[in-house]
Amino acid sequence: MTAQLPYATLHEIFSRFQASEPEPKGELNHTNAYTLLVAVALSAQATDIGVNRATARLFEIADTPAKMLALGEEALIEHIKTIGLYRNKAKNVMKLSEILVRDYGGVVPSSRAALVSLPGVGRKTANVVLNMWWRIPAQAVDTHIFRIGNRTGICPGRDVDQVERAIEDNIPAEFQQHAHHWLILHGRYICVARKPKCGACIIADLCHSEDKTI
């Protein structure tokens, strides 16, 4: 496992990320906390582009838990059947919508514990919602962050929980709010899995990767 980069290096890395994109955004389309929750839950083992395509019409007619329940599971399936695992995801969306209406007055809770208790909602999904909607500096570790965290030494860890703790424990507090977005975007477009685009990387001189293509 790659060694953790020192604080001064991390500060310089995230200063560059911030200068390049001061307000990074998630790429899943949503209009409120509920549609964000549903979109993130649907995005497991699917691309953001595919989810956005499937939810474009869905969220026009079902942007609250009550409306989703009124729509019904079979109609939901028709909207999301291009997404992987769509039947299981449809069941989870209907179940979590029922719980939100029954137990939370139709409002998505701002508690991680409450969120992860919902069907189909894991820690990563909960952290995305907490970060993007309530601006709580929660760190959602996906495959991109896990890969580049270990490749570069920004946030190394043997599993996603260790990588999440490495972000929280080592990345300067001033960058915590947007840290996972900067890392996801960097991993998605620059520090890609098979052949990282080091020639276009703004932190190439700072990372510890042995896979550099420069």
Side-chain angles (χ1 to χ4, degrees):
M1 188 169 68
T2 306
Q4 174 73 59
L5 291 173
Y7 180 89
T9 304
L10 290 173
H11 194 282
E12 176 62 21
I13 285 172
F14 283 90
S15 293
R16 293 184 190 182
F17 284 154
Q18 184 178 61
S20 176
E21 191 162 6
E23 290 288 330
K25 304 293 183 184
E27 297 182 324
L28 287 171
N29 294 336
H30 61 281
T31 57
N32 54 31
Y34 175 72
T35 55
L36 175 60
L37 175 65
V38 172
V40 179
L42 293 176
S43 71
Q45 299 181 4
T47 67
D48 288 359
I49 293 174
V51 172
N52 288 340
R53 188 180 300 118
T55 59
R57 175 62 180 147
L58 172 65
F59 289 160
E60 290 180 359
I61 59 177
D63 61 353
T64 69
K67 290 179 182 177
M68 190 67 75
L69 291 174
L71 180 66
E73 186 174 324
E74 291 306 313
L76 171 58
I77 286 173
E78 286 302 306
H79 284 279
I80 67 169
K81 62 184 179 182
T82 57
I83 300 175
L85 306 175
Y86 66 90
R87 289 193 181 278
N88 189 54
K89 289 176 181 179
K91 290 183 184 299
N92 284 335
V93 168
M94 299 308 292
K95 289 177 182 176
L96 72 83
S97 298
E98 181 180 356
I99 292 170
L100 290 175
V101 169
R102 185 189 68 213
D103 297 342
Y104 297 97
V107 177
V108 176
S110 59
S111 154
R112 182 187 286 118
L115 286 168
V116 298
S117 73
L118 298 171
V121 178
R123 186 179 180 88
K124 185 184 79 172
T125 296
N127 283 351
V128 172
V129 175
L130 292 172
N131 183 287
M132 290 181 62
W133 194 256
W134 285 286
R135 298 188 68 79
I136 295 170
Q139 308 301 331
V141 178
D142 70 352
T143 56
H144 296 298
I145 295 180
F146 185 79
R147 179 182 69 254
I148 72 170
N150 282 287
R151 174 186 275 171
T152 65
I154 291 175
C155 47
R158 299 189 186 282
D159 53 40
V160 294
D161 291 336
Q162 283 191 3
V163 171
E164 182 181 333
R165 286 196 296 273
I167 297 173
E168 294 175 342
D169 292 347
N170 298 293
I171 291 173
E174 66 197 274
F175 303 118
Q176 287 281 330
Q177 180 62 49
H178 294 311
H180 91 274
H181 276 133
W182 282 316
L183 292 171
I184 287 171
L185 294 172
H186 191 66
R188 184 173 290 170
Y189 297 111
I190 302 296
C191 198
V192 295
R194 293 187 179 180
K195 191 176 181 182
K197 302 173 183 178
C198 299
C201 178
I202 62 175
I203 63 166
D205 59 313
L206 299 173
C207 92
H208 287 177
S209 174
E210 297 178 356
D211 302 328
K212 288 184 181 180
T213 58
I214 295 177

